[in-house]
Amino acid sequence: MFQEGMMPTAAGPKDPVMEAAVYAAQIKGHEKIRVYHNDGHVLFEGTPREVANFWGIGGLARVEEVGSIADAEGQTIVKINNTNESGSIARNKVEMIMGALAMDIEDADIAQDRAAGCTLSPEEQEAELRRCYSIKKQVEAKHGEKLQEHLLMMSLGINPENEEPLFRTVSGEVGHNFEAHGIEKNDQLEKLLALLENGINKEKPFSTAPFELPPTERGVAMAEHKVGSGVCYQSGMAVVTGGYREGLVERGIKYVFINDVYAELLAPLRKLFPQYKIHLLSFQKEVLDTEFVEHN
């Protein structure tokens, strides 16, 4: 979308989403990136993909330590400060830049997986299905009796391995615009595969609720949607949603969010179902915020 070297225009207030996308494009344009600590030492060094992964597995918790992001030679791409002083960006925008970088990489991965999925033979489809079931067994073996607890923690943006913040969930102001349905109870993989293969059966009951709600609206929605918190169930294997202000049953599934505990399912599901936009649950904020901004 943006070419390396493009910068936000100085005239008028900067659009924060566009500004983040510009910086993300600049970062992605380099083979190696350095993330510097406030005191000047290198906090992390790697490819743009590795930087995005670093951020996704704990970098968020260290946002107060980040002083700048530079190329492999140490030339500053973006300087970070606590205020919007000249030549720097406010610290609270770092997450948006890293989110935009992760989304750029995610979009490239999706395009690649979709292209592969469009050419799958029946035998290859069977192989990807077997891979899904194998991943499910591996996850169950790894997490054991704590699987449900770990799914719940991940749905709240908490890393179950160290109980530290892992990602930020979408706000209620954005999330209430997306009608959703969570995969729950028994046989979740079977339910998810059937739903993605056949779509929503409009002749049968199908529960939906907002992806998220503002805190002030949760109490009212609890009775209306008959869901414990007034929002869709997110502590299972996956959540499916419609587009912005689109009825999920009427318009169909647009997004599929896979709980990060089952992250390995992402690749085979994308190949099997290229018609959907399939992401990890940890990308909910970037994905839904982006569509929200596009419509407002």
Side-chain angles (χ1 to χ4, degrees):
M1 182 183 299
F2 297 94
Q3 297 178 351
E4 184 180 355
M6 288 179 62
M7 293 295 293
T9 58
K14 297 175 182 177
D15 180 294
V17 175
M18 179 175 289
E19 184 180 24
V22 169
Y23 282 122
Q26 289 184 313
I27 293 170
K28 189 181 175 185
H30 293 276
E31 291 186 6
K32 291 284 186 179
I33 293 295
R34 290 179 179 175
V35 179
Y36 282 93
H37 192 278
N38 284 320
D39 64 12
H41 78 266
V42 176
L43 190 62
F44 185 84
E45 182 174 6
T47 65
R49 180 183 293 274
E50 289 168 342
V51 170
N53 289 339
F54 159 74
W55 191 257
I57 61 173
L60 173 59
R62 308 185 69 175
V63 64
E64 294 300 327
E65 302 175 39
V66 179
S68 65
I69 301 171
D71 62 20
E73 285 71 44
Q75 295 296 313
T76 301
I77 299 172
V78 54
K79 182 181 178 183
I80 297 141
N81 210 307
N82 292 323
T83 61
N84 269 317
E85 67 180 39
S86 178
S88 68
I89 65 162
R91 189 170 303 281
N92 60 11
K93 293 183 180 179
V94 176
E95 181 185 352
M96 188 174 289
I97 292 173
M98 289 300 184
L101 174 63
M103 279 295 295
D104 277 355
I105 294 171
E106 178 89 344
D107 287 344
D109 289 345
I110 288 175
Q112 182 177 345
D113 288 337
R114 281 183 171 178
C118 290
T119 59
L120 288 184
S121 67
E123 292 77 15
E124 289 171 329
Q125 290 178 6
E126 285 297 324
E128 294 299 337
L129 283 172
R130 288 195 299 271
R131 184 180 171 193
C132 288
Y133 281 99
S134 175
I135 291 168
K136 173 179 175 287
K137 289 182 179 179
Q138 291 171 17
V139 170
E140 290 173 347
K142 176 182 177 180
H143 295 271
E145 295 180 354
K146 291 191 173 182
L147 176 58
Q148 189 55 52
E149 177 186 346
H150 290 174
L151 287 167
L152 172 60
M153 293 177 69
M154 192 67 78
S155 73
L156 298 173
I158 299 171
N159 188 338
E161 295 185 3
N162 55 24
E163 299 186 6
E164 293 184 356
L166 185 60
F167 61 89
R168 289 186 63 185
T169 56
V170 72
S171 69
E173 287 70 25
V174 172
H176 83 275
N177 295 288
F178 296 88
E179 192 172 12
H181 170 85
I183 307 298
E184 57 180 315
K185 298 182 180 178
N186 300 323
D187 304 319
Q188 292 187 20
L189 180 57
E190 289 80 359
K191 290 177 180 176
L192 177 61
L193 291 172
L195 182 59
L196 298 183
E197 177 68 29
N198 304 315
I200 299 169
N201 186 342
K202 297 180 181 180
E203 304 301 318
K204 294 183 178 181
F206 188 80
S207 63
T208 65
F211 192 96
E212 186 54 271
L213 283 171
T216 54
E217 296 181 20
R218 279 188 174 237
V220 175
M222 284 173 64
E224 180 180 346
H225 295 282
K226 299 181 181 179
V227 178
S229 60
V231 300
C232 75
Y233 181 81
Q234 297 184 26
S235 303
M237 178 179 287
V239 178
V240 299
T241 83
Y244 177 79
R245 294 190 176 179
E246 294 179 352
L248 179 57
V249 175
E250 294 78 12
R251 298 293 296 274
I253 298 166
K254 181 173 184 178
Y255 298 114
V256 181
F257 292 98
I258 304 297
N259 192 299
D260 292 54
V261 170
Y262 287 100
E264 295 300 317
L265 284 175
L266 204 63
L269 288 177
R270 283 176 175 170
K271 291 178 181 177
L272 287 165
F273 304 104
Q275 66 269 40
Y276 304 113
K277 297 182 178 181
I278 306 178
H279 301 272
L280 291 177
L281 190 62
S282 55
F283 276 81
Q284 59 179 271
K285 182 172 175 59
E286 289 81 6
V287 173
L288 300 184
D289 278 5
T290 298
E291 180 156 348
F292 176 82
V293 169
E294 289 174 354
H295 287 85
N296 290 277

